[in-house]
Amino acid sequence: MELNMNKDSSTPSPSPSPSAGKRKGGDKKDLFHVIHKVPAGDSPYVRAKHLQLVEKDPDGAVVWFWKAINAGDRVDSALKDMAVIMKQQDRTGEAIEAIRSFRHLCSKQAQESLDNLLIDLYKKCGMVEEQIDLLKQKLRMIYLGEAFNGKATKTARSHGKKFQVSIQQETARILGNLGWAYMQQNNYEAAEMVYRKAQSVQPDSNKACNLGLCLMKQGQLDKSHQVLLDVVLKKLPGSDDGKIVDRAKELINEIETMRPTLSLFETDFSGEEDIIERLDIVFNEWTPFRSKRLPIFEDILRDQIAC
């Protein structure tokens, strides 16, 4: 009887295919892009994002964003990302000029976000007139139904999260920014009108504080006090923010210091007894000064009589 002398009679396992190795390497590469939030590829825009997010080299990223714009590589994102980096580097003038010069290369869908970025840049470098003009233009687009590409809502991003913004919320936000811009010009009357409109669209505590400040600057202390009191009493959305409530309290305290103290003779008297009582107070307050200065007055009068 002949025995099988093979050490392993089981079916041999198949050797790994080259494609499996590629898949494994590809998975690692994909994971890298997910972790660092950079797109895949080797285009100028991808290199710029790698320099910005991985190597933390903003100057190098700006250079490659310029190359991406010139090459027509994801121009919408390249222009916005480059302007954001310039803003962070206090190169607001360059960022404004870049958006103005190259926004015509961007899609229609990107124009609204470029406007928002321009408004922030104008605000940062004190270009109030330009900020007001652009805010009015955005309000005009809302009025004409051209905002949000004609839709009632749009998807926005903040800190990596997506959320929906309604046209009502956007209108209130723009009005709030416009009111603040007018305040920088000390045009409190225009600011008051804009803030009141913003509050009618979507009230909140922050805009209420600004409205209260506008009224206070115009000497309308009672109206200002009432507006600010609504914040302190937490009658408006956003009143759970302690900083806003504290600001409202500070403004109320400032109002109290501004209230005029009525002079005795500016007060309406109700009757004879009130008159006598108040005159007694006046005489009592004046007596000490009169007693100290009376001899001097007598000397002056005596000299005048002698003459």
Side-chain angles (χ1 to χ4, degrees), residues 285-296:
E285 290 177 349
W286 285 358
T287 298
F289 299 97
R290 186 180 59 182
S291 62
K292 291 178 182 178
R293 297 179 181 178
L294 188 56
I296 299 175

Side-chain angles (χ1 to χ4, degrees), residues 13 18 31 52 74 76 84 89 114 126 134 162 167 181 189 232 272 277 282 294 303:
S13 59
L31 183 62
Q52 177 192 7
R74 306 193 195 187
D76 291 3
V84 168
Q89 294 181 314
L114 288 172
L134 189 48
K162 292 182 179 180
I167 198 71
E189 186 176 351
V232 174
E272 290 80 358
E277 183 180 348
V282 172
L294 188 56
D303 293 341

Side-chain angles (χ1 to χ4, degrees), residues 160-171:
K161 296 182 179 180
K162 292 182 179 180
F163 57 96
Q164 291 295 310
V165 178
S166 69
I167 198 71
Q168 183 180 16
Q169 291 172 318
E170 180 72 355
T171 302

Side-chain angles (χ1 to χ4, degrees), residues 28-41 45-56 65 74 77 81 157-162:
K28 288 183 179 179
K29 199 170 184 180
D30 291 341
L31 183 62
F32 174 86
H33 294 307
V34 171
I35 292 173
H36 294 283
K37 297 180 180 179
V38 293
Y45 179 77
V46 172
R47 292 189 182 186
K49 294 300 289 184
H50 191 277
L51 287 165
Q52 177 192 7
L53 300 175
V54 181
E55 298 186 27
K56 308 299 182 183
F65 278 132
R74 306 193 195 187
S77 298
D81 291 344
R157 289 178 179 269
S158 179
H159 304 291
K161 296 182 179 180
K162 292 182 179 180

Side-chain angles (χ1 to χ4, degrees), residues 204-307:
D204 69 59
S205 295
N206 185 52
K207 290 194 287 291
C209 280
N210 290 335
L211 175 57
L213 181 58
C214 289
L215 293 166
M216 187 175 71
K217 291 292 186 180
Q218 296 178 82
Q220 301 180 47
L221 302 184
D222 291 337
K223 291 181 180 179
S224 175
H225 186 277
Q226 186 56 55
V227 169
L228 295 167
L229 192 60
D230 286 344
V231 178
V232 174
L233 296 177
K234 299 184 177 181
K235 292 183 178 181
L236 297 170
S239 296
D240 54 342
D241 189 330
K243 292 182 179 179
I244 295 177
V245 174
D246 289 343
R247 183 185 174 215
K249 290 178 179 178
E250 290 173 2
L251 290 173
I252 287 176
N253 290 334
E254 190 174 344
I255 287 172
E256 294 303 323
T257 63
M258 293 172 63
R259 290 187 185 278
T261 303
L262 291 178
S263 170
L264 172 69
F265 297 106
E266 294 173 344
T267 306
D268 291 329
F269 297 131
S270 57
E272 290 80 358
E273 292 181 359
D274 197 12
I275 296 174
I276 298 301
E277 183 180 348
R278 292 177 183 274
L279 286 175
D280 287 341
I281 295 174
V282 172
F283 287 140
N284 290 334
E285 290 177 349
W286 285 358
T287 298
F289 299 97
R290 186 180 59 182
S291 62
K292 291 178 182 178
R293 297 179 181 178
L294 188 56
I296 299 175
F297 292 140
E298 288 178 347
D299 292 340
I300 294 172
L301 289 171
R302 189 181 303 111
D303 293 341
Q304 290 177 344
I305 293 171
C307 293

